[in-house]
Amino acid sequence: MTGGRPGAPAPEAEVAAALHDVAGINGFFAVRVGGPDTGWQPIDRAYAGGLSHLVAAVAARHRSEELRVAVSIAHLGHAARLWSPVLACAVLHGIVPELSALQHSDRDATLRLPRAAGRYAAPLPRLADQLHDAVVTGRLEVLRAGLPAKVAPRLLDGNSASALVEAGRAVLVARPEARGRLVPLVERLLSTGRLAGTGTITGDDLSFRRRSCCLYYRAPAGAMCGDCGLADRP
């Protein structure tokens, strides 16, 4: 892990190196840094349009005619692309990437930063507040207002929690030595802000049971997910 005064800006090279490292965990952890400016739009503009190209792609892929199903699945996938690199950089490198300049691809779900920026992570419990502010308050609450179909707010919060825990599970598998830093942070996040009350960790592997449902089961070929809050209901 890198080190620096909590909350202080981290050097661009350190942030870029952290993002490059965690991108190797899986595709949800990848954020492009730099490169050509064409083909990207500011994330707030994409949010104002409700991530419409992603929603349309999800609807076509899952053959769903119910717009709120496509909206929820697209929201869940985007939440995973936010939580994954932010959580991994904080746990593995002690850096919280800055997302204010984040850009979204015009073609697919890819994210980009024109340049790497971030701050050194604070210790718990402040780190949980840092990450909640970066991902939930700073990004997902902005997206919520632009979604093209009405979806229950607590369902969206459950999507965010599910994406967070799944990101944690991926880090735990790839870097098991980080367990001591990772698990307490995920647990604290699940009691923070909009994530509070969304679900419960049920195992040492960060298995999770959410209290809501992402609606994937309503797609023609869909099913209940492993953490679905409906799974035990009659």
Side-chain angles (χ1 to χ4, degrees):
M1 288 180 63
T2 56
R5 182 171 57 83
E12 182 177 350
E14 282 190 25
V15 182
L19 288 166
H20 177 76
D21 175 59
V22 305
I25 296 176
N26 69 43
F28 285 101
F29 290 79
V31 176
R32 295 188 187 182
V33 178
D37 291 330
T38 56
W40 304 93
Q41 59 180 306
I43 197 72
D44 286 347
R45 185 189 304 162
Y47 286 172
L51 295 179
S52 57
H53 66 299
L54 290 188
V55 172
V58 167
R61 183 165 65 249
H62 294 288
R63 304 190 307 280
S64 176
E65 296 182 1
E66 193 174 359
L67 182 58
R68 70 187 183 116
V69 173
V71 166
S72 176
I73 296 172
H75 175 273
L76 177 58
H78 181 67
R81 290 183 180 275
L82 294 175
W83 274 121
S84 296
V86 170
L87 180 68
C89 282
V91 169
L92 301 176
H93 296 280
I95 286 173
V96 179
E98 170 58 56
L99 302 182
S100 60
L102 195 65
Q103 297 177 341
H104 201 285
S105 170
D106 292 333
R107 301 173 302 279
D108 54 33
T110 310
L111 301 177
R112 172 186 183 253
L113 287 168
R115 58 181 291 273
R119 294 183 177 275
Y120 288 115
L124 277 176
R126 285 168 50 212
L127 178 55
D129 293 331
Q130 268 187 294
L131 300 194
H132 184 277
D133 288 348
V135 175
V136 179
T137 305
R139 300 291 88 198
L140 292 176
E141 286 192 14
V142 180
L143 169 60
R144 185 187 303 251
L147 292 174
K150 183 174 177 58
V151 181
R154 288 305 276 169
L155 185 157
L156 298 176
D157 294 336
N159 283 355
S160 179
S162 181
L164 163 67
V165 177
E166 194 58 34
R169 285 166 58 84
V171 173
L172 192 58
V173 170
R175 311 285 175 87
E177 70 279 4
R179 172 182 288 275
R181 299 186 298 276
L182 173 68
V183 173
L185 175 56
V186 172
E187 291 175 338
R188 183 73 186 199
L189 275 162
L190 289 174
S191 66
T192 300
R194 297 200 66 96
L195 300 178
T198 52
T200 304
I201 291 175
T202 60
D204 291 341
D205 62 346
L206 286 181
S207 52
F208 181 66
R209 176 56 54 86
R210 59 185 284 179
R211 293 193 170 93
S212 58
C213 169
C214 72
L215 305 179
Y216 174 57
Y217 81 99
R218 296 182 65 88
M224 289 184 186
C225 304
D227 65 356
C228 184
L230 300 180
D232 293 333
R233 297 183 187 179

